[in-house]
Each structure stands twice: as C-alpha cells, then as structure tokens.
Amino acid sequence: MPAGTDRHDGGVVDDGGADWAGYYASSAGREPRPLLLAACEELGAGQGRLAIDLGCGEGTDTLELLARGWSVLAVDAEPAGLALLRARIPPSAAAGVRVLCASFAEANLPPAQLIHAGFSLPFCPPQGFGDLWARIRRALAPGGVFAGQLFGTHDTWAQDPDLTFHARHQVEVLLDGLDILRLERLGRAPIRSGIEKRHGAAGPSLSVEGRPDTEPLSGKKGSPTMPAKNATTESGGFSAEERAAMKSRADELRAEGKKGAKKADGLQAVLDSIAEMAPEDRALAERVHVTVTAAAPGLSPKTWYGMPAYANADGKVVVFFQNAGKFSYRYSTLGFQDAANLDDGDVWPVSYALKKWSPTVEKKVAELVTAAIS
Ligand SMILES: C[S@@+](CC[C@H](N)C(=O)[O-])C[C@H]1O[C@@H](n2cnc3c(N)ncnc32)[C@H](O)[C@@H]1O
C-alpha cells in the first residue's frame, strides 16, 4: 500500500496545517468512499449492528452506513465536520447514530462489526498511533471488517512529524493475524484500497484503502474566457461592461508574463467556478466577485477548494464565497480567513450569511473586505 511517490492529497491544503473547514467544503456532495461500500458489500445489510466511522469528517460515510441499516458511532475531533453531519441526519435515522466529538486518543471504541477510518488514521500523531491501532483491533468484533487508509513513507507530507506514515513492511505488521480482503498501494493514482479479515470465520476483519479521489479543485489553465452562461440575463450578475473589464484584466495579466498568467488562470478558475453554480448562487457570487475585486484590487482571485476566493500577496486566502448549493444551505456564505484583519477585541465574526444581493449588502461586503485588507 504505501511507498512510491504518493501525493498527500485528500483535500487538505499543503500549507503546514490541516485546514478541515476547507476540506469539508471541498467534500460537499462527494460519494461515499468506495472502500466503505466494498466493506458494506462484504458484511451485508447493517441490521442494527454497530459501525464506527473514525475521523468521520462531514459525515458522508456515516450517512451511507445509516442508510444501509447500521447503527453508527461517528467520531471526529472537529466540531465543524460534526455539525455538517448532524444537520444531514434524517430524523428517521437519528436514533441509530451517536456523534462523538473526541480525539482518537480520547474516544472509547466499543465492539463493532465494521470500523471505517476514511483517510483519517494518518492524522493521528506517531506517538499515539500504536495505542489507537491496538484499540481498533480490540474493538473489531469477530468477523468484523476494518476499512481505511494509511499514508506511505514516500508521501509528500512524510516529513511532517505530527502525522503517521507507514512503509509496506510496517503495514504488514499492523495487519498480522487478519485476513486480507483487499490491500492496495496507490502511487499517483487516486485510489488505493483493500479489505483485510482476521483468519477464520469468527475473526475480525480489516481493510485498507488509498487516498481520496483528487485534490479538490485547482485553477484551470487556458485562455481567459468568460463563464459559459450569460450571467447578466440569467442571474442579474455580471453586466456586459464588467465582463469586458474582466476580459481586459485577464489579457493584461497574461501580457505581464508568467506571474501574470498565473493570476489570469486564477481569475479564470474563479469565473468557471461561478459559472457552474445554480442561478441564484451564481447571481450572488458574481456580485461578490465584482464587489471584492473593486474594494480590494490588490487581492488575486483564485479558487480555494473550488470556491471563489481572493488571496493576498503572500497567496493566503483573505475572503471566499461558499455558495448555498455546496452544502444545500439556506444561504451562501462570505467567509474570511486568518489573513483577514477583522480583529475586534477578543471575539469577532469571520463568516457572514448571504441570502440576497442589495445595495445594503453590497455596502456591507465592501466595508468588510476593505477592513479585512487594512
Ligand atoms: C482527511 S479527513 C477525512 C474525513 C472523512 N473520513 C473522509 O473520508 O472524507 C480526516 C478527518 O480526521 C479527523 N481527525 C484528524 N485527526 C484526528 C484526531 N487526532 N482525532 C479525531 N479526529 C481526527 C479530522 O478532523 C478530519 O475530519
């Protein structure tokens, strides 16, 4: 499984820290992990048996398990992901799930027929991994299945002392005594997968898969074209003048050379991401784009986990737009990142719900963005 020149993708930005909010945003609407589905096929319908979704994130796999009749213990240390999960649990399934906000080290793992750890175990620090793995193995009920991923020692993040990486021979030690149903190594390919099972019909099982599908979204290269749909007529978003101005700006940037071309790509990626939104979201996103770029011309548009975002000279995202459709929310969101200077005493807002564009909203957005870059 591990080894090779693995990229550390999975949607976590490679900027020295795990950015789970962005990861969850990029995970919106994803399909359940194929390895989890394979484990479910192996075990049949849940019939109320217990599954643990360890490091469940925004909970897509927990929801899949519930839909397949499993009782689920969903564990994650990040309240933001758990909130997204809670919001999506159908009332009819609520009794079957326990959502536990706890670190791997703290979580009590009861006996379970299925333990899923989708791209989460490598985030356990090395000093805690042995204990965690021992508890996972103890929790696997006879005949149970583990499905999850590890990162290899050639992963691009392999130097990170806070994460755990395994060489092939170390994986074999971890799996000793388990029946292997699937064990795959991924290099640059997006999926590595496996399911392993303890020897004998009564033994627990274990499976190991690869990494998430792809890096979420990056700026698309190519000539600066406008969004495919005419946003002005469809959404009341960009005016013809604004479109022309953006095209000129992209042309200017490209003429500046390599650095400018990168910025033009960023701008194009933002326009593309806006063009893909549902009409109501697109209308808001277009006004946000126009307002942000006018209030803060020094910020460079680029996509951040597929969302329109605007970065400072250090490349740090200051402000981004999350469309309502991304998480089927009631509202879109204007979000500010750490680089935004909105500090106000010991507590201040960094996220704003956007429902409908108006002169008042425009003024507020412009003020916030101006303050953010001050
Ligand atoms: C890459 S995400 C994977 C989420 C989800 N399982 C998926 O497949 O998309 C890793 C998850 O592990 C959680 N996590 C990382 N370290 C953790 C720890 N020490 N204890 C509990 N959860 C942790 C993170 O909060 C994050 O939600």
Side-chain angles (χ1 to χ4, degrees), residues 102-117:
S103 71
F104 295 144
E106 296 163 335
N108 176 38
L109 304 182
Q113 200 68 28
L114 171 57
I115 300 181
H116 175 244

Side-chain angles (χ1 to χ4, degrees), residues 122-190:
F123 295 95
C124 175
Q127 58 273 26
F129 191 91
D131 173 66
L132 172 62
W133 187 247
R135 287 188 291 122
I136 288 173
R137 286 197 58 155
R138 274 201 300 276
L140 270 179
V145 170
F146 171 88
Q149 294 81 16
L150 298 172
F151 292 159
T153 50
H154 288 75
D155 193 291
T156 53
W157 280 9
Q159 302 309 315
D160 189 329
D162 297 328
L163 271 55
T164 301
F165 301 88
H166 289 91
R168 172 80 195 202
H169 69 274
Q170 293 171 313
V171 175
E172 282 163 9
V173 171
L174 292 179
L175 304 183
D176 187 42
L178 298 167
D179 286 345
I180 298 176
L181 298 179
R182 266 169 71 180
L183 173 60
E184 290 176 17
R185 173 199 175 279
L186 285 186
R188 290 197 175 272

Side-chain angles (χ1 to χ4, degrees), residues 20 23-24 30 33 55 57 76-78 102-104 118-120 123:
W20 295 125
Y23 178 85
Y24 302 143
R30 74 168 169 85
R33 299 291 175 207
D76 204 288
E78 282 291 324
S103 71
F104 295 144
F119 301 98
S120 58
F123 295 95

Side-chain angles (χ1 to χ4, degrees), residues 173-240:
V173 171
L174 292 179
L175 304 183
D176 187 42
L178 298 167
D179 286 345
I180 298 176
L181 298 179
R182 266 169 71 180
L183 173 60
E184 290 176 17
R185 173 199 175 279
L186 285 186
R188 290 197 175 272
I191 303 291
R192 58 186 175 204
S193 57
I195 300 177
E196 311 195 2
K197 208 168 186 184
R198 198 191 279 279
H199 289 302
S205 309
L206 187 144
S207 83
V208 182
E209 197 188 338
R211 49 188 57 242
D213 302 342
T214 56
E215 192 78 15
L217 277 163
S218 57
K220 289 180 192 160
K221 305 240 183 222
S223 60
T225 56
M226 290 298 111
K229 302 204 171 147
N230 183 328
T232 304
T233 50
E234 273 191 29
S235 66
F238 293 140
S239 67

